Amino acid sequence: MKALLGLSHMQDSGDYYKILEVSTKATAEEIKEAYRRLVRKYHPDLHPGNLAAEERFKEICKAYEILSDSVERSQYDQRFRHKKSKPQGMSPQDFYVRAIGKALERDYPGAVADYTQAIEGNPRFVEAYLERGATRYKLGDARGSLQDCNQALQINPNLAQAYYYQGRARYKLGYTSAAIKAYSKAIHLKPDYAQVYYHRGLANHELEDNILASEDLQKAAELFRKQGDKTGYQLAQATLTTLQDNRGKFKKSSRKNPPAAVKSLLTNLVQVSFSLVVNPAGGMLSGYANLEKRQALAVGIVFAGIFNFCFVFWSYVGWRNIFEAYLWELMSVGLVPFFTLVAIGSIARVVSRSSGSLAGDIYLAGASLLPLGFLALASSGSTVLGSQVMLIIGVFASCYTVLILYSGCTQISGMSDTVAALTLPVMLLVSGWLTYLAVTVIL
């Protein structure tokens, strides 16, 4: 019995699942039952003087301590999985090939781990640096991506793709001018790199150099068309067309010509609204990219004003029999969600070191409130529309708001998917809670 206990300990040591004799997918209840069963079996009181049993008992307690805590278990799973994923005899090329497969399956963390193994085996594995940089960018790790691109360029300074992702990472970190320099080097090495022209056009637009932006977008559209990339061509062409239209209208609209400025603003509102209705996720970037910062700012403020009007109208129609409130009080309450969304979006963008601007935050907040304004307006006539129609409108409005906020956080504010996923519920919960408090104040 002593020998058996010692042998079992030697075989299982380090694998908490084997120690508790459960599978890696065991539930919390199954882990608890296994712990109780093994404690009764290996308790030192049942094996006096048996050091192997005593050691085994300690292993069981330690394993249960880790696996019974969800956070500790998750961290252990990550460490243990990484340890087991390092089979003996794999070459750096083997890790690289496996990493590519994981990247194709969108297992980006696993791909980064394998690229790292390939680099550890061959510190001058330039392709591994390059692909790990691209994968890190997809994970939202702009700084890590930038480091990998720089390392790849030290080994081989003639990699167009490395300059491309170097530019993407710099732009995401807010270094727009440096991003343009990287894009230009990529184009010098690969003159038909359509994606680089497109993103350099966006960067030039960010710096309000719309002449260069138009040239880059036109070149991108031409290359996308030649390469048979229909989606890329349509995106570049739509961005270019709207940018040129808005630039021409903006030049005509000045302080000396208020009617033209108003007409330009109305045109922008209609175009952006149409884009959001047709495609609430994809329409955010195309709508914003085609506006000057001042235009985006104006569009966001007008959208917020529309929401406020709908909110006040609904309040007067739906709440007039419940309480009385001054017009300025209702308008103040209607501004709470707008300012809250702007504040949280700005804070999240700054903390995560994402690209973007205050104009983008205002544009995003106003656009995301537009569906809720329509919902409020429809609610004022709920007795006529009926509960079923209101339910449909409510579902659509809620989904549109979530899609607009998420796509805006990732595409306009430049947040990673992880940061956006954390920011989105905070924005909704805090803005809703503060609006509720504001309503209770005026009751």
Side-chain angles (χ1 to χ4, degrees):
M1 182 66 181
K2 293 181 181 181
L4 289 175
L5 288 171
L7 179 60
S8 176
H9 170 68
M10 290 174 61
Q11 291 175 334
D12 296 344
S13 181
D15 188 336
Y16 292 153
Y17 290 103
K18 286 186 177 181
I19 290 173
L20 293 183
E21 299 177 5
V22 296
S23 72
T24 56
K25 297 182 180 180
T27 64
E29 188 61 31
E30 289 173 340
I31 290 174
K32 183 182 295 185
E33 291 178 0
Y35 168 71
R36 291 173 177 174
R37 173 175 54 81
L38 292 172
V39 164
R40 289 193 296 268
K41 180 178 180 181
Y42 292 104
H43 198 283
D45 291 345
L46 301 176
H47 306 280
N50 190 328
L51 297 179
E54 183 178 348
E55 186 65 24
R56 185 64 167 170
F57 180 76
K58 292 179 181 179
E59 289 273 358
I60 292 169
C61 293
K62 179 62 176 178
Y64 178 71
E65 178 184 350
I66 298 298
L67 298 185
S68 62
D69 185 291
S70 58
V71 176
E72 292 282 354
R73 182 180 180 180
S74 177
Q75 294 176 350
Y76 169 76
D77 285 343
Q78 292 179 1
R79 293 194 303 269
F80 192 69
R81 191 183 300 115
H82 178 68
K83 182 179 178 180
K84 292 183 68 177
S85 65
K86 297 171 62 177
Q88 297 295 326
M90 286 187 68
S91 67
Q93 186 66 29
D94 292 333
F95 281 112
Y96 177 76
V97 172
R98 192 171 73 173
I100 292 177
K102 290 182 178 181
L104 291 174
E105 296 174 354
R106 297 182 181 274
D107 178 12
Y108 296 134
V112 169
D114 278 346
Y115 285 132
T116 302
Q117 291 295 323
I119 291 170
E120 289 178 356
N122 179 8
R124 296 188 61 80
F125 201 154
V126 64
E127 292 85 0
Y129 281 112
L130 187 58
E131 294 301 329
R132 188 175 71 174
T135 307
R136 281 178 165 176
Y137 181 84
K138 294 174 183 177
L139 284 170
D141 182 9
R143 294 192 180 278
S145 176
L146 190 60
Q147 291 173 359
D148 280 338
C149 290
N150 292 340
Q151 186 64 41
L153 290 170
Q154 287 182 9
I155 300 172
N156 183 356
N158 297 315
L159 296 172
Q161 187 179 356
Y163 283 116
Y164 169 64
Y165 275 105
Q166 184 187 66
R168 295 292 301 274
R170 287 176 175 178
Y171 184 79
K172 194 176 186 68
L173 292 169
Y175 309 129
T176 307
S177 296
I180 292 176
K181 292 181 180 179
Y183 290 143
S184 299
K185 290 180 180 178
I187 291 172
H188 176 73
L189 293 170
K190 188 177 179 182
D192 62 345
Y193 210 150
Q195 291 92 339
V196 179
Y197 278 105
Y198 179 78
H199 286 283
R200 192 175 71 171
L202 295 181
N204 279 318
H205 174 67
E206 179 76 17
L207 296 180
E208 299 186 358
D209 192 342
N210 289 316
I211 295 178
L212 292 179
S214 296
E215 292 176 355
D216 281 339
L217 292 170
Q218 186 175 1
K219 184 65 174 179
E222 178 185 345
L223 290 173
F224 278 131
R225 180 180 57 79
K226 289 181 179 180
Q227 295 165 7
D229 188 341
K230 185 177 180 181
T231 302
Y233 170 75
Q234 291 176 342
L235 178 61
Q237 193 64 39
T239 305
L240 174 64
T241 301
T242 310
L243 175 63
Q244 291 175 336
D245 290 344
N246 287 338
R247 187 180 64 186
K249 292 168 185 174
F250 186 76
K251 286 180 179 179
K252 294 178 181 178
S253 61
S254 63
R255 293 180 180 178
K256 296 181 180 180
N257 191 5
V262 173
K263 182 179 178 181
S264 177
L265 176 59
L266 291 175
T267 302
N268 292 332
L269 290 171
V270 172
Q271 290 177 341
V272 173
S273 299
F274 179 76
S275 298
L276 294 178
V277 170
V278 175
N279 185 1
M284 281 296 292
L285 179 59
S286 61
Y288 178 74
N290 299 322
L291 299 174
E292 302 282 348
K293 282 188 176 181
R294 287 169 288 184
Q295 292 174 315
L297 186 68
V299 168
I301 292 174
V302 172
F303 280 160
I306 293 173
F307 166 78
N308 207 339
F309 169 80
C310 295
F311 173 78
V312 172
F313 183 81
W314 169 54
S315 301
Y316 268 116
V317 173
W319 298 353
R320 64 179 182 270
N321 296 325
I322 301 176
F323 69 92
E324 294 183 358
Y326 293 108
L327 179 61
W328 68 268
E329 291 179 324
L330 292 175
M331 292 180 65
S332 299
V333 173
L335 290 174
V336 170
F338 172 69
F339 284 113
T340 304
L341 291 176
V342 172
I344 296 176
S346 300
I347 293 171
R349 177 172 52 80
V350 172
V351 171
S352 62
R353 299 179 180 273
S354 303
S355 59
S357 63
L358 180 60
D361 299 331
I362 292 175
Y363 172 85
L364 171 59
S368 63
L369 289 174
L370 203 58
L372 298 181
F374 177 74
L375 175 62
L377 192 63
S379 299
S380 62
S382 59
T383 55
V384 178
L385 295 175
S387 59
Q388 293 182 344
V389 175
M390 285 305 304
L391 177 61
I392 295 173
I393 294 175
V395 171
F396 268 88
S398 302
C399 291
Y400 267 62
T401 297
V402 171
L403 287 171
I404 289 172
L405 276 175
Y406 183 78
S407 60
C409 287
T410 55
Q411 298 174 5
I412 295 176
S413 299
M415 300 179 192
S416 67
D417 292 339
T418 302
V419 174
L422 293 173
T423 303
L424 178 58
V426 174
M427 296 174 83
L428 294 174
L429 289 173
V430 175
S431 61
W433 178 66
L434 291 179
T435 303
Y436 171 76
L437 289 181
V439 170
T440 58
V441 169
I442 66 174
L443 285 177

